[in-house]
Amino acid sequence: MSPATYVYCLISAAGVPALGRVPAGLTGTGPVRLLDVDGHDPAAPTARAGRRSGRRGGGSSQWLAVADAPLPQYGDAAINRRLADLDWVSRAAIAHEAVIEAFIEAPAVLPMKLFTIFNSDVRALDHLRRDRRRIAALLERVDGHHEWGVRVVLDPAYRPPAGGRAAARAVSAPGLAYLALKKAQRDQASELVNRARTTVADLDDRLRARASMSSRRPATELSAKGGLLLLDAAFLVQRSRSAQFRALVERQSKRLATHGYQVSMTGPWPPYTFISD
């Protein structure tokens, strides 16, 4: 039985992408290899370095990073049986993303979804070529960019400095101190949450100004351990502006930390969030 073709990502590069540091990929699959999308012989599409005639984008080429996938392990029925095994799915996702991230320094990378599998190399290439116009638009969008993630959590342990009327009442009427301070704490917590919306909107505006695109998860989807997750956003940033973007996040993180906000940043990543139409 011939193996299927597992597809990790599409790469746009001037030359043949290096495979020396690419990890093994999903358990049971073959070594990662490249399919030349522009090859004239799709039955034997292994990359041929140096062939530039007819290339798009001033000499850039497109390559699919793929691997042989045995059907007993990666056929539709086999995958469907194991989707309820979250540990197995998690290990597969980590291995899938590790291969994609090995190509992060290529000019443009389009990650494929987990378990993107075709019956053969020919089928994989045919599918890509039929969607050439949309693929070209996506490559143009992410060319020369990295994705960065930014999260803001409201620290539940943070308490604004006590004072004002509640403190005055506590001094003038010690017997009411407990109730007064409890009310003050509730008022402070309410004020902190109300102020959070404005604070996060301001931060989001500052970061979007440094990015080409951004994507923010709706508040109804947000959750976090140890605090209220106020912002979970992804930003598509030109690589030439990445240092400025990181510096801005670091400055805002220090400023907001004194007001009970924890800001964290992850990346750079391939553009996982920005490959949908």
Side-chain angles (χ1 to χ4, degrees), residues 155-184:
D155 185 353
Y158 174 76
R159 294 292 181 269
R165 296 179 180 178
R169 287 197 300 269
V171 172
S172 61
L176 299 177
Y178 176 78
L179 293 177
L181 289 177
K182 276 295 186 181
K183 183 179 185 304

Side-chain angles (χ1 to χ4, degrees), residues 40-274:
H40 297 293
D41 183 5
T46 302
R48 291 182 289 277
R51 180 166 54 81
R52 301 290 182 84
S53 61
R55 299 296 193 185
R56 296 176 301 279
S60 65
S61 307
Q62 292 179 13
W63 316 89
L64 278 179
V66 305
D68 292 340
L71 287 174
Q73 288 179 258
Y74 291 101
D76 288 343
I79 291 176
N80 289 334
R81 283 195 303 269
R82 304 198 68 179
L83 287 179
D85 184 347
L86 297 184
D87 288 338
W88 178 77
V89 174
S90 177
R91 289 193 299 271
I94 290 171
H96 179 83
E97 292 178 0
V99 171
I100 296 170
E101 288 159 18
F103 299 103
I104 192 171
E105 294 307 323
V109 178
L110 293 185
M112 299 296 176
K113 292 181 180 179
L114 182 64
F115 303 134
T116 298
I117 302 176
F118 295 89
N119 289 337
S120 66
D121 292 355
V122 174
R123 290 288 184 88
L125 289 168
D126 284 347
H127 177 82
L128 193 71
R129 289 164 180 158
R130 287 197 302 269
D131 209 15
R132 188 180 295 274
R133 181 173 298 179
R134 186 181 70 90
I135 294 296
L138 292 176
L139 286 172
E140 183 176 0
R141 174 190 298 174
V142 304
D143 184 60
H145 288 73
H146 281 151
E147 177 174 323
W148 296 85
V150 177
R151 289 161 61 97
V152 180
V153 176
L154 181 60
D155 185 353
Y158 174 76
R159 294 292 181 269
R165 296 179 180 178
R169 287 197 300 269
V171 172
S172 61
L176 299 177
Y178 176 78
L179 293 177
L181 289 177
K182 276 295 186 181
K183 183 179 185 304
Q185 289 173 356
R186 289 195 300 270
D187 292 344
Q188 290 167 348
S190 177
E191 180 184 353
L192 192 62
V193 171
N194 291 335
R195 191 171 67 239
R197 177 177 298 179
T198 300
T199 300
V200 168
D202 177 69
L203 175 63
D204 192 33
D205 287 344
R206 290 171 183 264
L207 297 180
R208 285 193 291 112
R210 300 291 179 92
S212 298
M213 294 182 68
S214 66
S215 177
R216 179 173 172 177
R217 292 179 59 191
T220 54
E221 298 180 16
L222 303 182
S223 62
K225 294 182 179 179
L228 177 63
L229 182 57
L230 302 172
L231 177 68
D232 188 0
F235 299 88
L236 188 66
V237 181
Q238 289 181 1
R239 297 179 193 183
S240 60
R241 304 187 70 183
S242 289
Q244 297 176 356
F245 186 84
R246 291 198 305 268
L248 174 61
V249 174
E250 290 169 1
R251 289 196 304 271
Q252 294 299 309
S253 177
K254 292 178 181 178
R255 180 180 69 84
L256 293 174
T258 60
H259 299 287
Y261 301 96
Q262 299 171 350
V263 181
S264 61
M265 176 174 56
T266 60
W269 305 109
Y272 294 113
T273 307
F274 302 97

Side-chain angles (χ1 to χ4, degrees), residues 20-37:
R21 297 185 179 181
V22 178
L26 273 67
T27 301
T29 61
V32 177
R33 55 192 175 84
L34 300 172
L35 301 182
D36 184 351
V37 175

